[in-house]
């Protein structure tokens, strides 16, 4: 029977039980927490009734209630004030009851029991897993009572069930007491007895997710996210026609939309693929809920409660192995700790792995990914799932050390490519592997079932890698399995709405005037630059800020920076000359010259001018020692670890050309003495576009270690690199945390000065590139919007794959309905300012705004194709 056109599930796939009367629908906590959503749920139920099936509705506790109950128990154990916490939980239920026009007294008896149990916990000062399960079950029981009462009030025939009378868990060998009560499992094979009992119930069944009973009749929980699992168990036992899981997202996406707004909805997946994505951190479906439906081939539909009209993801057997290879998603999961075990003897030692894994068992930790070589076995321990803290890992490592050498690598993230026959697409991964060139990949595994390939890297790189991989890979595998992008569905989603409006929204009229008079222009906002400088000046640990003028050497901006009292970091004689031309009487010690592989004459000239000079190699001292006789110099140190948004901008570590490596320090001491120079400052800059504030602490610590050998050092310059968010709404650099980290460095400095030399932070957000639309084109799946300037003005997207927000300023606020690639007029395919952007349909002469372009925009512009880069205007 055809379903309601908007509320149905589609495309319909074959079900092994076409005659089953049962359809199981599960709703998550958010879905059942508002009256608007309940109105939708009621409509979905009516729709199912019209289809001629019997809905079994399973749902979670109201949003936040499970966590509130855990907090309540913690408070009770600690003997704290539980009344306030209880009142809050009650108020949440009462408010929903009122919205649903149900008398809140309905829940009086249930709350009375909860109060009693909590009072008992308070008295004994501890909570057993058994009591924990009982208290948590309250959330689902109360919420379903409200739901049932609401549906009844609409005149629907509803039967509320206590699921504990129908769902009994299994007793498993080797299960700890905690797991028995808090992470129980049920059998899910067809259950004729249950089917018979359900057949005797009249009306729509509504019951609880997450809970069940054990053989003794006590309450048990099915683990966090267990409502999905409950629904899947019921579907399996009832031999249901299908399972529908309704949440606040429409389904699986090709990547986490928070990281990749152009992530695509995956319309159809095989159970195995869904299992991989769910297990690799997919988030919206509990991994345990797949096998119960997979066992009998019951199709599973994921749908969005607030938007039932959106297409969702369908999980079934329909996509099978004879189909071509297909990449479906790039998942990532953080909170991973690696344990690397090394032993030269292990390969010929019978039982080594058994012994090692036994230690994991003894510590109650489960192993997830494994890679082995003759002398090393590295495994991942999923700390989020195991609730294993650092102490637990350290205890494990201590025991493992009795067997072999052990290294613990914390704060890792696993990035997984999920798809079908991944092995056959290895050749497509060439460019992908390039991304990993500069980053330490701690572990690589390929699943034995040919469904995934996983890389484990440091957490801080995870988001960026997912973005890159998605851009490189997903669109290559169209294959009809992808639907709308997250942006298309949500218009960009919640974070952007919450963020403060960028300056260019407020100055739209002025910008449009500028844009309408020329093809393209860089516009810089004075107020924003002043704001950034003020923020830097508020860093209490920093004595002096040098503006890295390579980011933007525009004369008007330099004047503003000078006016506000910043100093200048210059990398070429040209930059030094520009500063001296603008400010002839400037104190020369406010200029730091930091050349790299420069000719001898540049050093000599700079020394003559009296500016600070940085050496970033021993060569000048070795070969031109005489030039430095009696001079004070800075030395740039390579502290070993490069950081930054792209390999090209990571300026420390073995693969970077910058700085004196730590192993050359002895020679540096000798050469300085021999030349008769003095090292008065240390300098380090590990990379650009860094948001992790530990970076500057690490650098500072490395420099502090060298002070002992260089008593004449008076300045420590920990570099620039301060990042800014790429997308509107993303979190920026935490300046307070940065100040706290720098304060640690400053403490070790004694009376020496601590310097910073940012470029991007001062100018990036203050600058936008305006470009007029020239032409549009539709070619196959891809729509192009052409603008009057491209990589000759802004090369960052082509060079680093950098992301810049793009808006159609002429049509700001108009519905964004077209997915387009924005290109310039340069004769290169790489002349792309942004791919897969959701914009309102553009017309010739509209003005597009490319945001965050004040740093390394014009500065890196060129005359390529003899096209002038956009002109610059300061407002
Ligand atoms: N100090 C030194 C020694 C540097 O090499 C740099 C940047 C900075 C300071 C300033 O870094 P910032 O605070 O701006 O991140 N073209 C690339 C950035 C290259 C950065 C080069 N060095 C981009 O567009 O992202």
């Amino acid at each position: 029977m055809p379903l309601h056109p908007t509320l149905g599930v589609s495309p319909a796939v074959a079900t092994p039980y076409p005659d089953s009367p049962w359809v199981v629908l599960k709703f998550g906590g958010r879905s059942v927490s508002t009256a608007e959503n309940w109105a939708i749920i009621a409509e979905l139920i009516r729709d199912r009734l019209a289809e001629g099936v019997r809905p079994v509705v399973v749902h979670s506790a109201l949003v936040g209630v499970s966590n509130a109950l855990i907090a309540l128990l913690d408070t009770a154990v600690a003997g704290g004030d539980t009344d306030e916490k209880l009142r809050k939980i009650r108020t949440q239920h009462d408010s929903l009851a009122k919205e649903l026009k149900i008398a809140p007294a309905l829940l009086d008896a249930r709350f009375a029991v909860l109060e009693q149990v909590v009072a008992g916990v308070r008295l004994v000062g501890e909570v057993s897993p058994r009591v924990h399960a009982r208290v948590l079950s309250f959330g689902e029981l109360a919420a379903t009572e409200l739901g049932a009462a609401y549906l009844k009030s609409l005149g629907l025939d509803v039967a509320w069930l206590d699921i504990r009378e129908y769902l009994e868990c299994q007793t498993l060998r080797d299960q700890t007491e905690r797991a028995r009560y808090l992470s129980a499992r049920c059998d899910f094979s067809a259950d004729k007895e249950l089917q018979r009992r359900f057949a005797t119930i009249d009306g729509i069944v509504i019951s609880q997710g997450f809970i069940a009973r054990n053989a003794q009749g006590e309450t048990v929980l099915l683990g966090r996210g267990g409502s999905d699992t409950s629904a899947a168990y019921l579907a399996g036992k009832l031999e249901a026609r299908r399972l529908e899981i309704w949440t606040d997202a429409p389904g699986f996406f090709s990547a986490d939309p928070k990281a990749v707004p152009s992530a695509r909805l995956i319309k159809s997946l095989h159970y195995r693929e869904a299992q991989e994505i769910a297990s690799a951190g997919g988030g919206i479906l509990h991994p345990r809920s797949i096998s119960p439906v997979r066992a009998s081939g019951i199709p599973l539909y994921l749908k969005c409660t607030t938007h039932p009209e959106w297409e969702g993801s369908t999980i079934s057997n329909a996509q099978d192995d004879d189909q071509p290879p297909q990449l479906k998603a790039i998942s990532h999961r953080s909170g991973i700790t690696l344990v690397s075990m090394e032993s030269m003897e292990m390969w010929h030692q019978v039982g080594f792995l058994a012994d090692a894994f036994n230690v994991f068992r003894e510590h109650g930790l489960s192993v997830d990914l494994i890679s082995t070589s003759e002398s090393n076995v590295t495994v991942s321990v999923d700390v989020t799932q195991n609730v294993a803290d650092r102490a637990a890992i350290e205890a494990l490592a201590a025991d493992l050390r009795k067997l072999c050498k052990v290294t613990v690598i914390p704060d890792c993230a696993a990035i997984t490519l999920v798809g079908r026959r991944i092995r056959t697409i290895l050749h497509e991964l060439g460019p992908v592997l390039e991304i990993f060139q500069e980053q330490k990949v701690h572990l690589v595994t390929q699943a034995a079932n040919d469904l995934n390939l996983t890389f484990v890297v440091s957490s801080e790189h995870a988001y960026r890698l997912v973005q890159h991989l998605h851009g490189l890979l997903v669109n290559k595998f169209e294959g009809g399995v992808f639907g709308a992008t997250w942006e298309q569905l949500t218009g960009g989603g919640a974070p952007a709405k919450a963020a403060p409006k960028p300056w260019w929204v407020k100055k739209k009229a002025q910008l449009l005037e500028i844009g309408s008079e020329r093809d393209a222009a860089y516009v810089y906002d004075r107020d924003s630059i002043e704001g950034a400088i003020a923020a830097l000046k508020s860093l209490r640990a920093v004595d002096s800020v040098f503006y890295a003028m390579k980011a933007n050497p525009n004369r008007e901006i330099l004047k503003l920076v000078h006016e506000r009292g910043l100093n200048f970091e210059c990398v070429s004689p040209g930059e030094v000359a520009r500063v001296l031309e603008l400010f002839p009487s400037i104190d020369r010690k406010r200029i730091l010259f930091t050349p790299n592989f420069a000719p001898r004459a540049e050093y000599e000239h700079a020394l003559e001018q009296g500016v600070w000079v940085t050496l970033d190699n021993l060569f000048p001292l070795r070969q031109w020692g005489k030039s430095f006789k009696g001079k004070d110099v800075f030395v740039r140190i390579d502290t070993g670890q490069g950081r930054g948004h792209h390999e090209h901008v990571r300026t420390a570590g073995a693969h970077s050309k910058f700085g004196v490596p730590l192993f050359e320090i002895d020679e540096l001491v000798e050469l300085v003495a021999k030349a008769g120079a003095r090292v008065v400052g240390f300098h380090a800059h590990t990379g650009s576009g860094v948001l992790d504030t530990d970076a500057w602490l690490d650098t500072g610590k490395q420099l502090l270690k060298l002070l002992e050998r260089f008593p004449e050092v008076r300045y420590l310059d920990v570099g620039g690199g301060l990042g800014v968010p790429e997308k509107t709404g993303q979190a920026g650099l935490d300046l307070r945390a940065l100040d706290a980290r720098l304060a640690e460095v400053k403490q070790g400095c004694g009376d020496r000065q601590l310097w910073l030399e940012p470029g991007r932070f001062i100018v990036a957000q203050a600058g936008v590139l305006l470009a007029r639309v020239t032409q549009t084109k539709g070619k196959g799946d891809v729509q192009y919007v052409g603008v009057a300037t491209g990589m000759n003005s802004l090369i960052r997207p082509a060079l680093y794959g950098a992301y810049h927000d793009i808006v159609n300023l002429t049509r700001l606020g108009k519905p964004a309905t077209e997915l387009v690639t924005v290109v310039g007029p340069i004769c290169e395919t790489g002349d792309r300012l942004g791919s897969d952007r959701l914009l309102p349909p553009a017309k010739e002469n509209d003005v597009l705004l490319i945001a965050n372009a004040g740093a390394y925009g014009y500065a890196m512009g060129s005359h390529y194709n003899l096209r002038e880069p956009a002109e610059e205007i300061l407002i």
Side-chain angles (χ1 to χ4, degrees), residues 61 156 535 560 707 816:
L156 290 165
L560 177 57
L707 288 178

Side-chain angles (χ1 to χ4, degrees), residues 9 246 288 445 472 570 700 797:
V9 285
W246 294 80
R288 272 196 204 167
T445 63
L472 281 170
C570 307

